[in-house]
Amino acid sequence: MKAELRVENISVSFPKTGQILDSISLHVNQGEFVSIIGPSGSGKSTIFQSIGGVLLPEKGEIFLGDKKITGETGHISYMPQHNSLLPWRNVLQNVLLGQELHKKTNLDEAKSWLSKVGLSEYEKAFPHQLSGGMKQRVAFIRALISPASLMLLDEPFSALDEFTRLDMQKWLLSIWEKEKKSILFITHNIEEALFLSDRIYILSERPAKIVKEIKVEFPRPRNEELLMDDYFQKMKKEIFAELKGSR
């Protein structure tokens, strides 16, 4: 299935908290890296839960390629804010989990990717024996080798220190530029969104609406020198002002 995502006018409400999403429409093209940024509690994770089929929107539809997937699970791979590695499974077993759920286990592929990211000697290690950055690499490889063609990454680096976070961002881009899987990425960090993305959607406060779509045209591959670029800083200030104005 093509990893072209279309979210068309979805709305979600909960009895106790009221309306969360108000007619959200967005798209991710094949092989594109798109970020969503917005205030805390604005409904970013609710968008992911709707795309993943965990929530059924009261209005609107979701498509992956030509297939309507509204309310259906099993079409995406997901990497949460916290790595969610199973403590009783070793690194290799954790990496294989997504494939096991689809009954398409490929041991050689899993071992190959662990070698590519410098974790081959940790195949039999358990999560408590890994650093934060290593855990996130394991979680990302688990999502990457899942048969699903669309990846949803929910603030995967927010718990890391600044230097480890930048290393992980560069690492993620190096992998993505080779694999070109379609990625929808949630972040609170404007700099991170600009550094990683092809496009950025800015959400308002709850009930969330998309207030702006921004095309990021910095050439790839990108490196940390971009963070000091004058136009990068200008865009960062503009997005900050847009977020502040949406409150």
Side-chain angles (χ1 to χ4, degrees), residues 8-78:
E8 298 184 351
N9 296 308
I10 65 168
S11 295
V12 174
S13 298
F14 297 128
K16 292 184 179 180
T17 54
Q19 189 166 17
I20 308 298
L21 305 179
D22 183 8
S23 298
I24 295 290
S25 294
L26 58 83
H27 69 281
V28 180
N29 297 320
Q30 181 81 37
E32 193 176 26
F33 198 125
V34 177
S35 290
I36 300 173
I37 191 166
S40 296
S42 60
K44 297 183 295 295
S45 294
T46 303
I47 294 174
F48 271 21
Q49 290 168 355
S50 300
I51 295 169
V54 178
L55 290 175
L56 179 64
E58 58 207 49
K59 292 193 301 183
E61 301 290 355
I62 301 168
F63 297 86
L64 192 59
D66 297 326
K67 180 179 173 58
K68 185 167 76 171
I69 62 167
T70 315
E72 295 184 6
T73 59
H75 295 290
I76 57 98
S77 60
Y78 175 64

Side-chain angles (χ1 to χ4, degrees), residues 6-246:
R6 286 183 292 123
V7 175
E8 298 184 351
N9 296 308
I10 65 168
S11 295
V12 174
S13 298
F14 297 128
K16 292 184 179 180
T17 54
Q19 189 166 17
I20 308 298
L21 305 179
D22 183 8
S23 298
I24 295 290
S25 294
L26 58 83
H27 69 281
V28 180
N29 297 320
Q30 181 81 37
E32 193 176 26
F33 198 125
V34 177
S35 290
I36 300 173
I37 191 166
S40 296
S42 60
K44 297 183 295 295
S45 294
T46 303
I47 294 174
F48 271 21
Q49 290 168 355
S50 300
I51 295 169
V54 178
L55 290 175
L56 179 64
E58 58 207 49
K59 292 193 301 183
E61 301 290 355
I62 301 168
F63 297 86
L64 192 59
D66 297 326
K67 180 179 173 58
K68 185 167 76 171
I69 62 167
T70 315
E72 295 184 6
T73 59
H75 295 290
I76 57 98
S77 60
Y78 175 64
M79 182 177 172
Q81 180 175 350
H82 302 289
N83 57 73
S84 298
L85 300 181
L86 301 179
W88 59 89
R89 294 178 68 122
N90 64 32
V91 164
L92 182 59
Q93 291 167 336
N94 267 292
V95 164
L96 287 167
L97 182 60
Q99 291 190 343
E100 288 175 10
L101 295 174
H102 286 85
K103 298 181 172 58
K104 295 181 179 180
T105 303
N106 187 329
L107 186 62
D108 289 340
E109 182 184 26
K111 286 176 172 276
S112 174
W113 271 108
L114 287 174
S115 177
K116 288 176 184 177
V117 302
L119 291 175
S120 56
E121 62 185 275
Y122 295 93
E123 283 182 10
K124 295 183 179 179
F126 289 87
H128 74 273
Q129 298 172 301
L130 306 178
S131 68
M134 292 164 71
K135 290 176 185 177
Q136 292 304 87
R137 291 186 184 189
V138 172
F140 181 78
I141 296 304
R142 179 178 62 189
L144 180 69
I145 69 172
S146 165
S149 54
L150 174 68
M151 299 180 68
L152 305 184
L153 309 184
D154 190 351
E155 295 192 78
F157 307 140
S158 61
L160 303 177
D161 66 79
E162 186 174 351
F163 292 107
T164 304
R165 181 178 186 139
L166 178 58
D167 285 342
M168 289 299 299
Q169 290 167 357
K170 292 188 294 184
W171 176 81
L172 169 59
L173 284 182
S174 71
I175 299 295
W176 171 78
E177 283 163 1
K178 293 175 184 176
E179 295 298 306
K180 285 296 184 180
K181 276 205 170 187
S182 305
I183 292 180
L184 188 59
F185 188 94
I186 285 176
T187 181
H188 281 100
N189 189 296
I190 300 172
E191 196 169 87
E192 181 171 67
L194 280 169
F195 185 62
L196 295 175
S197 308
D198 295 310
R199 287 185 298 110
I200 300 169
Y201 287 105
I202 299 177
L203 292 188
S204 68
E205 285 195 326
R206 185 186 299 178
K209 296 182 178 181
I210 290 175
V211 296
K212 194 164 188 178
E213 176 186 344
I214 295 172
K215 189 171 183 179
V216 183
E217 297 182 323
F218 299 114
R220 298 185 185 275
R222 297 173 184 169
N223 57 49
E224 58 217 84
E225 293 177 3
L226 177 63
L227 304 178
M228 299 296 107
D229 180 85
D230 288 343
Y231 187 61
F232 185 97
Q233 292 298 321
K234 180 175 181 290
M235 288 189 72
K236 183 177 174 181
K237 291 176 183 177
E238 288 175 357
I239 293 173
F240 178 80
E242 197 73 47
L243 284 167
K244 189 174 182 181
S246 70

